[in-house]
């Protein structure tokens, strides 16, 4: 009977450990923010692209914040400050820092700590895509197609840059 009870207890602890939710911590500073808080949102890409807020933190007088995000596995999320937003990738037990200037949001995002490489890559990709979108608004078909080819080349160059950085740090 003792072995059975011990087995049940061991199984219970094992299952609770497997399903335990972990936390990623993001610290940072947002200069010149007119907004009092920073939020983390999750988008449901499988169903209806609905978004839900999963974490919020207040900015102090210097724009500093610390936000704890409950997650079970690596996940792509959205960090929002007012109307501005940027994609972030977090994983359990991650400890990431971010700094940016609200007045030049996308161009000043810098990550450090755990997950810095993937998040700096995400930020560079957003900036590249934004610049591309602005440049193609009034193009004719041939110029548009040429621009798409250029975007493809630039995207692969960006990926190669961050892949070589990742490989050099291993």
């Amino acid at each position: 009977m003792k072995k059975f009870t011990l087995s049940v207890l061991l199984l219970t602890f094992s299952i609770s450990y497997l399903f335990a939710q972990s936390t990623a911590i993001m610290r940072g500073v947002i200069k010149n923010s007119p907004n009092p808080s920073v939020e983390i949102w999750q988008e449901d890409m499988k169903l209806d692209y609905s978004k839900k807020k999963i974490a919020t933190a207040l900015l102090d007088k210097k724009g500093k914040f610390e936000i704890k995000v409950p997650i079970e596995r690596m996940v792509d999320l959205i960090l929002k400050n007012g109307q501005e937003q940027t994609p972030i990738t977090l994983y359990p037990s991650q400890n990431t820092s971010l700094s940016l200037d609200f007045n030049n949001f996308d161009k000043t995002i810098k990550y450090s700590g755990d997950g810095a490489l993937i998040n700096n890559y995400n930020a560079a990709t957003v900036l590249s895509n934004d610049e591309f979108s602005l440049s193609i608004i009034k193009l004719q078909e041939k110029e548009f197609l040429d621009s798409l080819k250029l975007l493809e080349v630039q995207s692969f160059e960006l990926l190669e840059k961050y892949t070589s950085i990742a490989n050099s740090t291993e």
Side-chain angles (χ1 to χ4, degrees), residues 139-149:
L139 297 179
Q140 298 299 319
E141 182 179 0
K142 183 185 178 332
E143 294 169 317
F144 175 77
L145 294 173
D146 290 344
S147 293
L148 285 178
K149 288 178 186 174

PDB file of all heavy atoms in Angstrom, residues 139-149:
ATOM      1  N   LEU A 139       3.853  52.752 -57.295  1.00  0.00           N
ATOM      2  CA  LEU A 139       4.636  52.129 -58.363  1.00  0.00           C
ATOM      3  C   LEU A 139       3.753  51.494 -59.432  1.00  0.00           C
ATOM      4  O   LEU A 139       2.650  51.036 -59.158  1.00  0.00           O
ATOM      5  CB  LEU A 139       5.559  51.054 -57.785  1.00  0.00           C
ATOM      6  CG  LEU A 139       6.626  51.513 -56.803  1.00  0.00           C
ATOM      7  CD1 LEU A 139       7.421  50.326 -56.318  1.00  0.00           C
ATOM      8  CD2 LEU A 139       7.532  52.559 -57.429  1.00  0.00           C
ATOM      9  N   GLN A 140       4.292  51.449 -60.625  1.00  0.00           N
ATOM     10  CA  GLN A 140       3.665  50.698 -61.706  1.00  0.00           C
ATOM     11  C   GLN A 140       3.964  49.218 -61.505  1.00  0.00           C
ATOM     12  O   GLN A 140       4.812  48.848 -60.690  1.00  0.00           O
ATOM     13  CB  GLN A 140       4.211  51.178 -63.063  1.00  0.00           C
ATOM     14  CG  GLN A 140       3.919  52.633 -63.368  1.00  0.00           C
ATOM     15  CD  GLN A 140       2.426  52.921 -63.425  1.00  0.00           C
ATOM     16  OE1 GLN A 140       1.658  52.135 -63.973  1.00  0.00           O
ATOM     17  NE2 GLN A 140       2.000  54.043 -62.855  1.00  0.00           N
ATOM     18  N   GLU A 141       3.301  48.354 -62.271  1.00  0.00           N
ATOM     19  CA  GLU A 141       3.407  46.909 -62.055  1.00  0.00           C
ATOM     20  C   GLU A 141       4.848  46.401 -62.132  1.00  0.00           C
ATOM     21  O   GLU A 141       5.305  45.669 -61.256  1.00  0.00           O
ATOM     22  CB  GLU A 141       2.547  46.154 -63.067  1.00  0.00           C
ATOM     23  CG  GLU A 141       2.582  44.651 -62.852  1.00  0.00           C
ATOM     24  CD  GLU A 141       1.725  43.878 -63.823  1.00  0.00           C
ATOM     25  OE1 GLU A 141       1.073  44.488 -64.699  1.00  0.00           O
ATOM     26  OE2 GLU A 141       1.717  42.646 -63.710  1.00  0.00           O
ATOM     27  N   LYS A 142       5.606  46.760 -63.159  1.00  0.00           N
ATOM     28  CA  LYS A 142       6.983  46.262 -63.302  1.00  0.00           C
ATOM     29  C   LYS A 142       7.849  46.731 -62.136  1.00  0.00           C
ATOM     30  O   LYS A 142       8.598  45.950 -61.562  1.00  0.00           O
ATOM     31  CB  LYS A 142       7.592  46.705 -64.629  1.00  0.00           C
ATOM     32  CG  LYS A 142       9.004  46.130 -64.811  1.00  0.00           C
ATOM     33  CD  LYS A 142       9.674  46.638 -66.046  1.00  0.00           C
ATOM     34  CE  LYS A 142      11.066  46.150 -66.243  1.00  0.00           C
ATOM     35  NZ  LYS A 142      11.871  45.795 -65.120  1.00  0.00           N
ATOM     36  N   GLU A 143       7.742  48.012 -61.794  1.00  0.00           N
ATOM     37  CA  GLU A 143       8.512  48.535 -60.665  1.00  0.00           C
ATOM     38  C   GLU A 143       8.118  47.851 -59.358  1.00  0.00           C
ATOM     39  O   GLU A 143       8.951  47.582 -58.506  1.00  0.00           O
ATOM     40  CB  GLU A 143       8.296  50.047 -60.540  1.00  0.00           C
ATOM     41  CG  GLU A 143       8.845  50.840 -61.704  1.00  0.00           C
ATOM     42  CD  GLU A 143       8.368  52.278 -61.669  1.00  0.00           C
ATOM     43  OE1 GLU A 143       7.164  52.504 -61.388  1.00  0.00           O
ATOM     44  OE2 GLU A 143       9.192  53.166 -61.924  1.00  0.00           O
ATOM     45  N   PHE A 144       6.817  47.580 -59.215  1.00  0.00           N
ATOM     46  CA  PHE A 144       6.326  46.888 -58.027  1.00  0.00           C
ATOM     47  C   PHE A 144       6.944  45.488 -57.927  1.00  0.00           C
ATOM     48  O   PHE A 144       7.433  45.087 -56.872  1.00  0.00           O
ATOM     49  CB  PHE A 144       4.794  46.796 -58.074  1.00  0.00           C
ATOM     50  CG  PHE A 144       4.205  45.988 -56.950  1.00  0.00           C
ATOM     51  CD1 PHE A 144       4.097  46.526 -55.681  1.00  0.00           C
ATOM     52  CD2 PHE A 144       3.770  44.690 -57.164  1.00  0.00           C
ATOM     53  CE1 PHE A 144       3.556  45.781 -54.628  1.00  0.00           C
ATOM     54  CE2 PHE A 144       3.228  43.943 -56.134  1.00  0.00           C
ATOM     55  CZ  PHE A 144       3.122  44.487 -54.867  1.00  0.00           C
ATOM     56  N   LEU A 145       6.931  44.738 -59.026  1.00  0.00           N
ATOM     57  CA  LEU A 145       7.506  43.387 -59.032  1.00  0.00           C
ATOM     58  C   LEU A 145       9.013  43.425 -58.766  1.00  0.00           C
ATOM     59  O   LEU A 145       9.536  42.576 -58.041  1.00  0.00           O
ATOM     60  CB  LEU A 145       7.197  42.679 -60.353  1.00  0.00           C
ATOM     61  CG  LEU A 145       5.715  42.372 -60.595  1.00  0.00           C
ATOM     62  CD1 LEU A 145       5.501  41.824 -61.999  1.00  0.00           C
ATOM     63  CD2 LEU A 145       5.185  41.414 -59.545  1.00  0.00           C
ATOM     64  N   ASP A 146       9.700  44.410 -59.342  1.00  0.00           N
ATOM     65  CA  ASP A 146      11.134  44.571 -59.061  1.00  0.00           C
ATOM     66  C   ASP A 146      11.367  44.859 -57.579  1.00  0.00           C
ATOM     67  O   ASP A 146      12.313  44.355 -56.975  1.00  0.00           O
ATOM     68  CB  ASP A 146      11.730  45.697 -59.918  1.00  0.00           C
ATOM     69  CG  ASP A 146      11.801  45.327 -61.400  1.00  0.00           C
ATOM     70  OD1 ASP A 146      11.689  44.120 -61.730  1.00  0.00           O
ATOM     71  OD2 ASP A 146      11.953  46.262 -62.223  1.00  0.00           O
ATOM     72  N   SER A 147      10.481  45.668 -57.004  1.00  0.00           N
ATOM     73  CA  SER A 147      10.600  45.986 -55.577  1.00  0.00           C
ATOM     74  C   SER A 147      10.373  44.756 -54.706  1.00  0.00           C
ATOM     75  O   SER A 147      11.037  44.577 -53.681  1.00  0.00           O
ATOM     76  CB  SER A 147       9.597  47.077 -55.190  1.00  0.00           C
ATOM     77  OG  SER A 147       9.923  48.280 -55.813  1.00  0.00           O
ATOM     78  N   LEU A 148       9.446  43.893 -55.111  1.00  0.00           N
ATOM     79  CA  LEU A 148       9.224  42.646 -54.371  1.00  0.00           C
ATOM     80  C   LEU A 148      10.464  41.759 -54.403  1.00  0.00           C
ATOM     81  O   LEU A 148      10.820  41.148 -53.391  1.00  0.00           O
ATOM     82  CB  LEU A 148       8.026  41.883 -54.938  1.00  0.00           C
ATOM     83  CG  LEU A 148       6.647  42.417 -54.597  1.00  0.00           C
ATOM     84  CD1 LEU A 148       5.576  41.572 -55.276  1.00  0.00           C
ATOM     85  CD2 LEU A 148       6.421  42.456 -53.105  1.00  0.00           C
ATOM     86  N   LYS A 149      11.113  41.689 -55.553  1.00  0.00           N
ATOM     87  CA  LYS A 149      12.355  40.898 -55.659  1.00  0.00           C
ATOM     88  C   LYS A 149      13.430  41.480 -54.750  1.00  0.00           C
ATOM     89  O   LYS A 149      14.150  40.747 -54.087  1.00  0.00           O
ATOM     90  CB  LYS A 149      12.839  40.851 -57.105  1.00  0.00           C
ATOM     91  CG  LYS A 149      11.976  39.988 -57.990  1.00  0.00           C
ATOM     92  CD  LYS A 149      12.444  40.008 -59.429  1.00  0.00           C
ATOM     93  CE  LYS A 149      11.462  39.238 -60.301  1.00  0.00           C
ATOM     94  NZ  LYS A 149      11.789  39.339 -61.723  1.00  0.00           N
TER      95      LYS A 149
END
